[in-house]
Amino acid sequence: MIGILTLPIAEVVAVGVLLGIVGALAIVGKRVFFSESLSHGTFPGAVLGVVIGQFMGASSSSLSLWLFVGAALFCIPLAWLMRYLASLEGISPTAAAGIVLTVGYALGVFLLRWFQPLPLKVEGFLTGSLLAVSHTDVLSAAAILVLAVIALVTCGRRLAFYYFDPIAFRVAVRNSRWWLALMEGITLGLLCASMVVAIPAVGSILSIAILVAPAAGVQVFARNFAGLILWSGVAGVGIGITGLLLAVWQSLSAGGMVAVVAGLFYLGCRSLGWILCMSWTTPRKPKITSSAFGISSNEPVSRRR
C-alpha cells in the first residue's frame, strides 16, 4: 500500500504547499474571484492540450505535459478577457469573473463531448485523479513550487508592500510602473501556474477549495504576511494528506475528499476564532500586517524609498 501511495503522497504534498502559499497571495491580494474563474477556465485548455497531444502521437505518459501546456496557454486569453470586461462601464470585476467562469466551463464541456473519446476520463479534468498521478505530474508541481518559493524570497517584501498599501507603493518605489507590472505578473503568473499543475491532483473545479481554504482559515490567527504564507502551506499539506487518506480508507474520490476536508478546515478555523474572540474581555479582531517583511504601516513614506 505504501508503494502505491508514494506518488499520490508526493503530489499532494507538493500541490498542498504550492496552493497553500499561493492562496495566501490570492487572499491578501484580493484575487479569489480571478482564481475561481481560472480554475474553471483551465478546463477547455486542458482538453485541447490532450486532443493536440493525442493528434501528435504523444504517449500516455507525456499527455500530462500537453495538458499543462494547453491549460496554461488558455489562461492568457481568459485573463485578458476578464480584465477587458472589468474595464467596461457597468461590469464589476466580480461580474467579469463570473462571465469568464461560465464561458470557460461551458466551452470545456462542449470540447470534451466533441472530441470524445479521450485517453483521459472526464473526472481527471474536473475532480482530478490523485491516485493515478505520474512522475511528470509530481515534477511539474515541484518545479512550480520552487519558482513560487524563489519569488517569495526575492520579492516577498515588495509584494507585501504592494498588497497592503498600493497607493504608498506607487509613491515610494522608483520606476513604479515597472514594479507594478512585475508584482501583478508574479501574482497572476503564480496563480495560473498553480491552478494548471493542480489539475491532475484535484481537477479544474476542486482546486479552488485547497487554494483558498488554507489561507482563509489561517488568516483568523495569523499576525503577519510571512506567518500567513508559512502556515497556509502547512495547512495545505495537512488538508491534502487527510483527504487522500480518508479517500483511500473509504474508497471515495480523492479530489472530492480533499475539497470536503478543506471546507471543514475553514469552518473549524472560523468557529475556533469566534470562540476565542468571545472569550476575550475586550473583543478584538486579528489583523494581518506586513511587518514581518520589514514594512510597517506607521513608517513614513519617505523612509520606504
Side-chain angles (χ1 to χ4, degrees):
M1 178 64 72
I2 298 298
I4 297 175
L5 293 179
T6 300
L7 279 180
I9 290 175
E11 172 77 357
V12 83
V13 168
V15 170
V17 176
L18 175 63
L19 292 187
I21 62 178
V22 175
L25 302 183
I27 291 289
V28 178
K30 297 179 176 60
R31 301 294 192 279
V32 174
F33 282 110
F34 177 86
S35 304
E36 172 70 9
S37 60
L38 277 186
S39 67
H40 290 65
T42 55
F43 182 22
V47 174
L48 288 176
V50 172
V51 169
I52 296 174
Q54 187 181 28
F55 177 77
M56 298 294 291
S59 62
S60 57
S61 59
S62 63
L63 280 179
S64 293
L65 288 177
W66 288 94
L67 183 150
F68 292 148
V69 172
L73 292 179
F74 208 81
C75 287
I76 298 175
L78 286 181
W80 176 86
L81 177 61
M82 197 182 318
R83 293 183 69 87
Y84 171 74
L85 291 175
S87 66
L88 297 178
E89 185 177 356
I91 299 181
S92 64
T94 303
I99 293 171
V100 172
L101 183 153
T102 305
V103 171
Y105 181 72
L107 181 59
V109 173
F110 170 77
L111 292 174
L112 186 66
R113 300 303 179 188
W114 183 270
F115 290 108
Q116 285 286 9
L118 289 177
L120 299 181
K121 296 182 179 179
V122 62
E123 291 82 2
F125 294 106
L126 299 179
T127 60
S129 185
L130 188 53
L131 296 178
V133 294
S134 64
H135 289 86
T136 302
D137 301 328
V138 177
L139 292 176
S140 300
I144 300 302
L145 174 58
V146 170
L147 291 178
V149 172
I150 292 175
L152 289 174
V153 170
T154 56
C155 300
R157 185 171 182 234
R158 292 189 182 274
L159 280 170
F161 192 1
Y162 173 65
Y163 292 149
F164 286 92
D165 201 343
I167 297 177
F169 182 88
R170 291 179 173 86
V171 174
V173 177
R174 295 180 180 178
N175 300 320
S176 60
R177 181 176 298 180
W178 186 89
W179 278 105
L180 285 171
L182 179 61
M183 297 300 101
E184 278 294 307
I186 291 175
T187 303
L188 302 185
L190 288 179
L191 283 172
C192 293
S194 301
M195 304 301 284
V196 168
V197 297
I199 292 177
V202 289
S204 61
I205 292 181
L206 300 180
S207 56
I208 190 66
I210 195 172
L211 177 78
V212 176
V218 168
Q219 71 172 345
V220 177
F221 312 102
R223 289 295 185 271
N224 54 60
F225 189 40
L228 177 66
I229 291 176
L230 174 63
W231 290 111
S232 295
V234 174
V237 174
I239 290 171
I241 292 292
T242 303
L244 174 62
L245 295 180
L246 289 175
V248 172
W249 177 41
Q250 294 294 327
S251 299
L252 298 173
S253 167
M257 284 306 302
V258 169
V260 170
V261 173
L264 293 176
F265 173 80
Y266 172 74
L267 291 177
C269 288
R270 282 293 177 180
S271 300
L272 181 59
W274 179 79
I275 293 173
L276 293 176
C277 185
M278 293 295 292
S279 65
W280 288 330
T281 305
T282 303
R284 52 180 177 170
K285 181 180 179 181
K287 184 177 181 180
I288 301 173
T289 67
S290 57
S291 57
F293 282 90
I295 301 169
S296 172
S297 58
N298 296 323
E299 186 179 354
V301 172
S302 59
R303 292 181 58 187
R304 298 178 185 167
R305 294 183 182 272

